[in-house]
């Protein structure tokens, strides 16, 4: 754990290499486990203002052992930041894979996928920079292709996948305008070519928006243009999310253990989750990320302070209790039922008439006087949470829509009927995928002491945890520079100063009675 850019993903890769080395690391499986990283980073990482290679999803890697040899592995992914596909703030980029494709695809392949100059696409932000950057991206694209081959993706699957990504980019350039004759909405004349390109890339039998997008709609045309734009962005986000989930499934097929089911395997799990974030503009995604980090901090406190000191008390050892910054009140504010922030968000999401403003009004009335909640100031719609790592102001726009995470049924039907086999597979069995998405969200968000312990927290609480605390040396993304104030702030809010005290004053060696008696 640690802030965004503190080195969690790099530490995870080093830890995996170390474990494979201890296993002698010669088997094909051990090499494959190490080689899936370029694939995950290309599709799941992006440049942010805090980190040039920021993980925009959480991953839990389970390594299964028999006789000190890796026999299998499984990867679970949580809360991919799909909104990044359609919107990036200043100084940020979309997922790496889009830039790698532009830099690495030969011209005939770009023509096949209908890819034009990257500067033309609304979903791809940021200047493409120097020739060196383009060359590095080209090399990364080759790494991705090698990883796809190694994981076992068929050539046609790789073609379909890149066609879907190209179609997503074309879809982003589709705009809408009012139909003057009947007050409905149609695709603008200027973007009909982009719509055709998206439909061709996704091999749809008919285009996802007809000549007129709903002639029964009237008179608030500008509102309907926005609704069409929202539906367009929803399609792009869901399509990308399904591709990412499919890649993870293929990786798990490759890495699954091939042993007798009766054989008991030991397990090491590594949780590499997005770090605490506080940007100039913080949205629903930052809220989910920071909530997950609140969970991890509570888990850390539980093991390092509560269990440790309870053991000393049980043994009746002379001990002066070490106080620590308990973040349980913050978790109660966010997760309590029926009046925690998430419960109120779900309640508002269930009302068709509810808006982000009614949601914020509900928060302001429910949490008036709370030490960990502050209403927004001025006309901007938002609120602040005093997290364990500091105060974060959240922009409330989009909270309800992102929490609902829905896709119109007629649009889903178009994908299911696509003649691209991969696209049809990704959108079939949608209710099952929705349940998985809902579970994934709960895995991160549910409090460990609530009645329903989900799988991830159960695993963590039943295991013997080791905590790797990553400390960010400076806020400028500079190598070899240590800003002592930045470091000290992290040591304080992570509880590491109190951890040092409990380690210094506590009991490092804890023999069993048998060991003690023998000595």
């Amino acid at each position: 754990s640690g802030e965004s850019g503190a080195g969690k993903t790099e530490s995870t890769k080093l830890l995996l290499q170390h474990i494979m080395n201890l296993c002698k690391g010669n088997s094909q499986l051990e090499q494959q486990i190490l080689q899936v990283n370029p694939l995950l980073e290309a599709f799941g990482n992006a440049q942010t203002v805090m980190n040039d290679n920021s993980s925009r999803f959480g991953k839990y890697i389970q390594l299964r052992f028999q006789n000190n040899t890796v026999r299998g592995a499984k990867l679970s992914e949580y809360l991919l930041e799909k909104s990044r596909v359609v919107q990036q703030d200043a100084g940020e980029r979309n997922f790496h894979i889009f830039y790698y494709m532009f830099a690495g695809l030969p011209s005939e392949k770009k023509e096949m996928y209908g890819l034009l100059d990257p500067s033309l696409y609304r979903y791809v932000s940021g200047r493409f920079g120097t020739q060196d950057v383009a060359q590095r991206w080209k090399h990364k694209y080759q790494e991705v292709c090698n990883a796809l081959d190694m994981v076992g993706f068929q050539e046609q699957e790789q073609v379909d996948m890149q066609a879907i990504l190209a179609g997503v980019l074309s879809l982003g350039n589709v705009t809408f305008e009012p139909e003057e004759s009947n007050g409905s909405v149609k695709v603008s004349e200027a973007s009909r070519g982009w719509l055709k390109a998206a439909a061709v890339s996704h091999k749809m039998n008919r285009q996802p928006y007809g000549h007129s997008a709903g002639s029964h709609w009237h008179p608030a045309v500008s509102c309907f243009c926005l609704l069409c734009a929202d539906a367009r962005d929803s399609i792009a986000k869901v399509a990308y999310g399904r591709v990412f989930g499919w890649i993870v499934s293929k990786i798990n097929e490759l890495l699954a253990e091939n042993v007798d089911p009766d054989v008991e395997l030991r397990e090491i799990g590594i949780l590499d989750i997005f770090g605490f974030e506080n940007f100039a503009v913080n949205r629903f995604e930052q809220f989910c990320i920071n909530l997950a980090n609140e969970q991890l901090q509570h888990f850390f406190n539980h093991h390092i302070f509560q269990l440790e000191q309870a053991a000393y008390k049980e043994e009746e050892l002379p001990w002066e209790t070490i106080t620590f910054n308990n973040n349980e009140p913050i978790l109660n504010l966010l997760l309590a039922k029926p009046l925690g922030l998430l419960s109120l968000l779900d309640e508002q999401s269930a009302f068709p008439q509810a808006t982000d403003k009614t949601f914020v009004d509900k928060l302001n009335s429910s949490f008036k006087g709370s030490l960990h909640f502050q209403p927004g100031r001025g006309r901007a719609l938002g609120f602040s949470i005093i997290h364990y790592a500091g105060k974060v102001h959240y922009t409330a726009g989009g909270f309800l829509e992102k929490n609902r995470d829905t896709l119109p049924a007629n649009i889903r039907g178009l994908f299911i009927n696509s003649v691209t086999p991969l696209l049809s597979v990704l959108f079939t069995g949608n209710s099952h995928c929705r349940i998985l998405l809902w579970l994934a969200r709960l895995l991160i968000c549910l409090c460990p002491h609530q009645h329903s312990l989900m799988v991830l927290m159960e695993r963590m609480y039943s295991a013997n945890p080791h905590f790797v605390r990553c400390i960010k040396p400076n806020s400028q993304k500079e190598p070899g520079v240590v800003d002592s104030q930045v470091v000290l702030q992290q040591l304080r809010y992570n509880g590491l100063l109190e951890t040092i005290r409990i380690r210094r004053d506590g009991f490092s060696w804890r023999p069993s009675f048998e060991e003690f008696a023998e000595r």
Side-chain angles (χ1 to χ4, degrees), residues 303-317 319 507 510:
H303 275 273
I304 299 299
F305 298 112
Q306 291 169 311
L307 293 186
E308 182 105 343
Q309 298 191 95
Y312 296 165
K313 190 175 179 182
E314 188 183 339
E315 297 276 351
E316 297 183 7
L317 296 168
W319 180 255
F507 299 85
R510 302 167 193 200

Side-chain angles (χ1 to χ4, degrees), residues 46-98:
Q47 178 183 312
T48 70
V49 291
M50 297 176 77
N51 183 358
D52 289 347
N53 186 33
S54 178
S55 299
R56 308 316 299 164
F57 70 106
K59 66 174 178 281
Y60 185 62
I61 306 163
Q62 294 161 266
L63 303 172
R64 298 190 174 117
F65 297 85
Q66 182 187 14
N67 300 327
N68 297 329
T69 303
V70 181
R71 301 306 300 268
K74 185 182 179 186
L75 184 73
S76 303
E77 51 97 1
Y78 304 104
L79 286 173
L80 177 71
E81 188 189 42
K82 293 180 297 185
S83 63
R84 181 167 294 272
V85 176
V86 303
Q87 180 186 23
Q88 307 96 43
D89 290 324
E92 306 217 336
R93 294 189 189 274
N94 208 322
F95 290 103
H96 293 326
I97 187 61
F98 292 112

Side-chain angles (χ1 to χ4, degrees), residues 101-392:
M101 283 174 63
F102 280 117
L105 278 169
S107 53
E108 64 272 13
K109 286 283 183 70
K110 285 182 185 172
E111 192 175 330
M112 182 177 85
Y113 295 131
L115 283 176
L116 304 177
D117 188 277
S119 62
L120 297 173
Y121 293 94
R122 194 175 66 85
Y123 285 167
V124 181
S125 68
R127 289 181 294 111
F128 268 60
T130 63
Q131 193 62 38
D132 287 348
V133 172
Q135 201 59 38
R136 191 170 74 246
W137 285 344
K138 188 175 182 178
H139 174 70
K140 289 286 189 182
Y141 178 76
Q142 198 52 55
E143 273 187 13
V144 170
C145 292
N146 294 340
L148 287 168
D149 290 336
M150 183 273 301
V151 172
F153 287 85
Q154 302 300 316
E155 186 179 351
Q156 189 57 49
E157 289 178 324
Q158 296 185 36
V159 169
D160 286 351
M161 180 173 63
Q162 294 185 89
I164 292 169
L165 297 180
V168 162
L169 292 179
S170 295
L171 186 64
N173 285 9
V174 175
T175 56
F176 304 92
E177 63 188 15
E179 178 80 86
E180 291 179 8
S181 59
N182 58 9
S184 65
V185 175
K186 66 177 183 179
V187 173
S188 66
E189 291 295 333
S191 67
R192 285 190 172 276
W194 291 113
L195 178 63
K196 186 179 179 183
V200 168
S201 292
H202 291 158
K203 294 182 184 171
M204 291 177 171
N205 295 322
R206 50 201 172 91
Q207 294 179 358
Y209 304 93
H211 179 73
S212 174
S215 57
H216 60 284
W217 286 350
H218 65 89
V221 171
S222 61
C223 179
F224 293 132
C225 284
L226 287 173
L227 285 171
C228 285
D230 285 345
R232 173 202 63 206
D233 289 348
S234 292
I235 294 167
K237 290 186 288 187
V238 172
Y240 191 87
R242 297 285 168 87
V243 168
F244 187 75
W246 175 67
I247 289 170
V248 171
S249 298
K250 293 282 285 188
I251 289 172
N252 284 335
E253 284 176 25
L254 173 82
L255 302 181
E257 62 266 17
N258 183 22
V259 294
D260 188 323
D262 296 331
V263 174
E264 187 180 352
L265 298 177
R266 293 171 174 266
E267 185 176 296
I268 293 176
I270 305 170
L271 181 67
D272 171 22
I273 210 159
F274 16 54
F276 187 86
E277 292 184 342
N278 190 359
F279 296 146
V281 179
N282 300 288
R283 298 188 172 89
F284 179 75
E285 292 77 18
Q286 278 66 50
F287 174 77
C288 290
I289 286 169
N290 292 343
L291 175 54
N293 279 274
E294 286 285 358
Q295 289 285 81
L296 283 182
Q297 183 65 18
H298 184 273
F299 181 63
F300 176 79
N301 288 342
H302 175 74
H303 275 273
I304 299 299
F305 298 112
Q306 291 169 311
L307 293 186
E308 182 105 343
Q309 298 191 95
Y312 296 165
K313 190 175 179 182
E314 188 183 339
E315 297 276 351
E316 297 183 7
L317 296 168
W319 180 255
E320 185 180 327
T321 301
I322 291 177
T323 58
F324 60 96
N325 187 15
N326 190 348
N327 67 335
E328 204 155 316
I330 306 171
L331 286 176
N332 288 336
L333 172 88
L334 301 176
L335 298 167
K337 295 195 174 199
L339 293 175
L341 192 150
L342 271 191
S343 293
L344 295 175
L345 178 60
D346 285 340
E347 175 194 281
Q348 290 285 299
S349 299
F351 294 133
Q353 303 92 334
T355 64
D356 293 319
K357 185 179 186 312
T358 63
F359 169 58
V360 170
D361 290 344
K362 189 86 174 175
L363 296 186
N364 290 341
S365 61
S366 300
F367 301 136
K368 192 175 183 181
S370 168
L371 295 175
H372 301 287
F373 177 89
Q374 290 180 4
R377 291 182 179 176
R379 304 182 70 177
L381 204 59
F383 58 91
S384 297
I385 301 291
I386 316 299
H387 286 284
Y388 78 99
K391 177 179 169 181
V392 179

